[in-house]
Amino acid sequence: MSEQMMTEAAVSLLVERGIAGTTLAGIGERSGYSRGLVTHRFGSKAGLLAHVHDSIAAEWLRRVQAVVGRATGVAALQRVTDALYKFIVDEPKGLRAMYLLRYASIDPSAEYRANVAKLNKAHVRALTRWVEEGQAHGEIAAEVDAGLAAELFASVVDGLLYRWLVNPDIPVKELHGLMRAHIARALRAAQA
Amino acid sequence: MSEQMMTEAAVSLLVERGIAGTTLAGIGERSGYSRGLVTHRFGSKAGLLAHVHDSIAAEWLRRVQAVVGRATGVAALQRVTDALYKFIVDEPKGLRAMYLLRYASIDPSAEYRANVAKLNKAHVRALTRWVEEGQAHGEIAAEVDAGLAAELFASVVDGLLYRWLVNPDIPVKELHGLMRAHIARALRAAQA
DNA sequence: CCTTACTTGCTGGCGACAAGCAAGTTATAA
DNA sequence: TTATAACTTGCTTGTCGCCAGCAAGTAAGG
């Protein structure tokens, strides 16, 4: 179906030329259709971008769920970082497109912004729950503020991806290892 | 002078309407000039945005240097976070505009991108040096990979600011405290 | 003939560029 | 010293090309 084709064309164009450099006509034509079909289907450029973002985000969610499984506490957070590392290696283009869109949504003119804010909050909720479960099992120190730790964890992930987008040569693998170590140490220890 | 006026108009428009929503004509007129002056002065929209970014970045650099002074090691990194927190409180508009531009520069179509990459590398170099100095003084564990720790620190800062941009209600103050604590614990301890 | 899938024609807005104008400022020469 | 000519600076206006968005239209299958 044309939606799928156009979404794929959009991803490749986004990675090649960025958001501003990606035109609706370009997407239509690269996917073998006319210049007008994208608008017709997705209503607007923002609508298309939201669709692209959400479809990759769904794939990311699937991966995280598969890797984390029923784990909780430190193991759950570590596995999230594992999934992240794997995603970087397996599908750099998709991840790049998703974060390109996600960072662009900071822009107040992006209607899409509220969606991303909601998504971020959902992520933090899930992370918070894992931390709390770790505390319930006695694995994670009780003094840890679960919500705060979750927010910081999410920040590290987002920040790392931003830096990777700007400079793909950063030592992603080593940073992944360092994160894993930090998670364990920070959560098991006491906290201010 | 008109440059200063237009830069200020640009910052306020960027915060209000974002990059896409900010037009050159709008900047020119808000600053009391004609629609064409911005292009005439800065060559292009990208040129203007680079100028806006760099002038705020210079202010940020001044602040960091003032706060860090001759400190090194853990104290230096903690004071960077202090400066960051203070900047968020003192000049949220400027910081917001700068990071809006910095994140937008991920976009491959932004010529500006190489500049930001260079800037990021310079930051990491400074951070690395502070960590190494801390190691020389025996304050920071020798096993710590200074460059890696610096990259992770920079990621946390960037990630936090991203999250703050999307959702200004996150507990910035508490996160600042948590970061301070993490820095001390992570660097003084051994590391994988 | 009616729906579904797609195309084509058109418009307004914006960035970019080029030409131009007005108010200085410096140079020149009687 | 002053008149005027040559040039600069700071800014404006006219115009072009590109793109998103819209509306009308076409083609093909049931």
Side-chain angles (χ1 to χ4, degrees), chain A residues 2 33-37 40-41:
Chain A
S2 60
Y33 297 94
S34 70
R35 62 184 175 75
L37 187 57
H40 188 77
R41 270 285 205 287

Side-chain angles (χ1 to χ4, degrees), chain B residues 2 33-37 40-41:
Chain B
S2 59
Y33 298 94
S34 69
R35 63 183 177 77
L37 186 57
H40 186 77
R41 270 286 205 289

